[in-house]
Amino acid sequence: MTETWDPAGEGVMRLPSARLVRGRGLRRRLPAGPEPTFTIHLLGGPPPPVGWESQWLRWPDFRLPADREAARSALGEAWNRAPDERVEVVCGGGRGRTGTALACLAVLDGVPAPDAVSYVRRHYHPKAVETPWQRRYVVRFAG
């Protein structure tokens, strides 16, 4: 079992089940403290190499995941690993795609889909989930 994130850490969001997941933008420095044990990269192209386990989801900026089943699977894995590992979700800026993925994790954690974007905006970043189609994706993620 790996020590999880510090709940007061930079970009760390606590889900209702007490799972901790860090959201981050790659254009900013890696926060101080322990490295992640698992990262999901939400990028239009291949991610930079990291020294821990990671998964790449092709997800262009301001858009939706190219493969929705792969996204559902990867987010399910992140949610399952979060109680015992340091899981992070990253995109370029850390708001749109990352916020959308965090909202989907909130849905998996029991937050009603229509409330998930508001939950992430309260607990992660007030401008998370940037586009109308990203908001719709979160609502439809529950189905």
Side-chain angles (χ1 to χ4, degrees):
M1 183 166 140
T2 303
E3 179 184 338
T4 60
W5 297 116
D6 174 357
E10 183 179 340
V12 175
M13 185 180 82
R14 181 185 296 276
L15 293 166
S17 67
R19 284 171 166 85
L20 300 173
V21 180
R22 182 169 76 187
R24 179 168 73 88
L26 289 175
R27 290 192 289 268
R28 295 183 11 205
R29 64 167 176 69
L30 186 66
E35 292 180 338
T37 54
F38 180 66
T39 297
I40 298 178
H41 289 97
L42 312 168
L43 301 169
V50 294
W52 54 87
E53 189 177 354
S54 67
Q55 186 172 354
W56 169 41
L57 284 175
R58 184 179 298 276
W59 191 331
D61 202 6
F62 297 106
R63 307 263 173 120
L64 298 175
D67 183 334
R68 304 217 181 151
E69 286 305 313
R72 182 174 284 284
S73 176
L75 293 171
E77 181 177 355
W79 184 81
N80 283 324
R81 293 173 78 153
D84 301 315
E85 297 183 47
R86 290 183 303 275
V87 173
E88 75 171 358
V89 179
V90 302
C91 67
R95 292 187 188 164
R97 293 167 285 179
T98 295
T100 302
L102 291 173
C104 292
L105 291 174
V107 169
L108 290 175
D109 208 60
V111 174
D115 302 331
V117 171
S118 296
Y119 183 89
V120 171
R121 287 178 175 170
R122 268 192 324 275
H123 298 282
Y124 171 65
H125 194 286
K127 294 184 180 180
V129 191
E130 296 173 319
T131 68
W133 42 91
Q134 289 172 340
R135 288 190 293 277
R136 280 194 303 271
Y137 178 77
V138 171
V139 171
R140 293 178 181 153
F141 188 80

